[in-house]
């Protein structure tokens, strides 16, 4: 089960809104959704959690590129919303690196008899695309809002969004949409 909410900073404090991510297909779509929540181009946080497995924070400040933090990349990779956040850049991969074999490096002489089973095993090595069971992204994403890197990394997925909202002074508004 997932929970997703937008926290938009306004002159009067934080405003929360429950959000459906069913129509969001890309990180760009998610950033656009966040920008719509704040017509004044103030800070908007997208908070996402999958019960007790992982949480993510996406921060959108006006037209700047979104900043992302995910508490457990491997757990998030197993979910549709997590995959949305886990960009190649965030995982330290070359963009498009998992699009299949590089055609320039293939031996296309028409013979396949020379391949051994060991060659096939190397091609499908899961270590090549392994995603860490650790946090990824900008762990300083909330520094200026009162939540330091060390505190963010120590948050447990079960209580993270509540702890973040409490530190921001937005726990009451977040609870209204939970």
């Amino acid at each position: 089960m997932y929970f997703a909410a937008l926290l938009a900073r306004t002159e009067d404090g934080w405003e929360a809104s429950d959000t459906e991510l069913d129509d969001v297909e890309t990180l760009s779509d998610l950033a656009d959704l966040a920008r719509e929540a704040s017509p004044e181009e103030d800070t908007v946080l997208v908070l996402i959690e999958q019960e007790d497995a992982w949480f993510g924070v996406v921060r959108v400040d006006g037209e700047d590129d979104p900043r992302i933090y995910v508490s457990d990349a491997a757990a998030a990779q197993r979910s549709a919303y997590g995959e949305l956040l886990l960009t190649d850049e965030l995982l330290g991969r070359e963009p498009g690196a998992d699009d299949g074999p590089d055609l320039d490096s293939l031996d296309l002489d028409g013979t396949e008899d020379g391949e051994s089973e060991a060659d096939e095993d190397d091609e499908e090595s899961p270590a090549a695309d392994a995603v860490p069971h650790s946090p990824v992204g900008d762990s300083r994403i909330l520094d200026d809002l009162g939540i330091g890197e060390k505190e963010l990394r120590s948050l447990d997925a079960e209580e993270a969004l509540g702890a973040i909202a409490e530190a921001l002074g937005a726990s009451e508004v977040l609870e209204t949409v939970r």
Side-chain angles (χ1 to χ4, degrees), residues 18-81:
D18 188 7
T19 188
E20 286 294 322
L21 299 179
D22 294 340
D23 295 332
V24 175
E25 295 179 8
T26 66
L27 181 59
S28 203
D29 292 344
L30 185 61
D32 290 343
L33 180 70
R35 287 183 185 106
E36 290 171 13
S38 178
E40 299 297 320
E41 295 191 5
D42 286 324
T43 298
V44 178
L45 302 176
V46 181
L47 304 175
I48 303 171
E49 71 179 359
Q50 181 182 6
E51 56 183 43
D52 304 342
W54 66 275
F55 71 93
V57 178
V58 178
R59 179 177 177 158
V60 178
D61 294 299
E63 291 300 317
D64 292 347
D65 287 341
R67 295 166 54 195
I68 305 163
Y69 175 82
V70 176
S71 66
D72 183 334
Q77 185 181 33
R78 294 188 296 269
S79 76
Y81 298 137

Side-chain angles (χ1 to χ4, degrees), residues 52-153:
D52 304 342
W54 66 275
F55 71 93
V57 178
V58 178
R59 179 177 177 158
V60 178
D61 294 299
E63 291 300 317
D64 292 347
D65 287 341
R67 295 166 54 195
I68 305 163
Y69 175 82
V70 176
S71 66
D72 183 334
Q77 185 181 33
R78 294 188 296 269
S79 76
Y81 298 137
E83 283 184 342
L84 182 74
L85 304 180
L86 297 174
T87 63
D88 287 336
E89 181 181 340
L90 192 70
L91 295 172
R93 296 181 187 158
E94 288 293 319
D98 58 348
D99 290 344
D102 178 10
L103 295 179
D104 293 334
S105 67
L106 292 177
D107 183 9
L108 299 175
D109 66 359
T111 62
E112 295 179 11
D113 297 337
E115 293 182 4
S116 69
E117 285 185 30
D119 292 340
E120 291 174 17
D121 290 343
D122 288 344
E123 289 176 19
E124 297 178 19
S125 171
D129 288 326
V131 175
H133 280 281
S134 62
V136 294
D138 184 353
S139 57
R140 301 186 70 149
I141 191 170
L142 301 173
D143 272 0
D144 65 323
L145 299 174
I147 302 169
E149 177 178 8
K150 186 176 179 181
E151 184 179 355
L152 184 62
R153 286 179 169 269

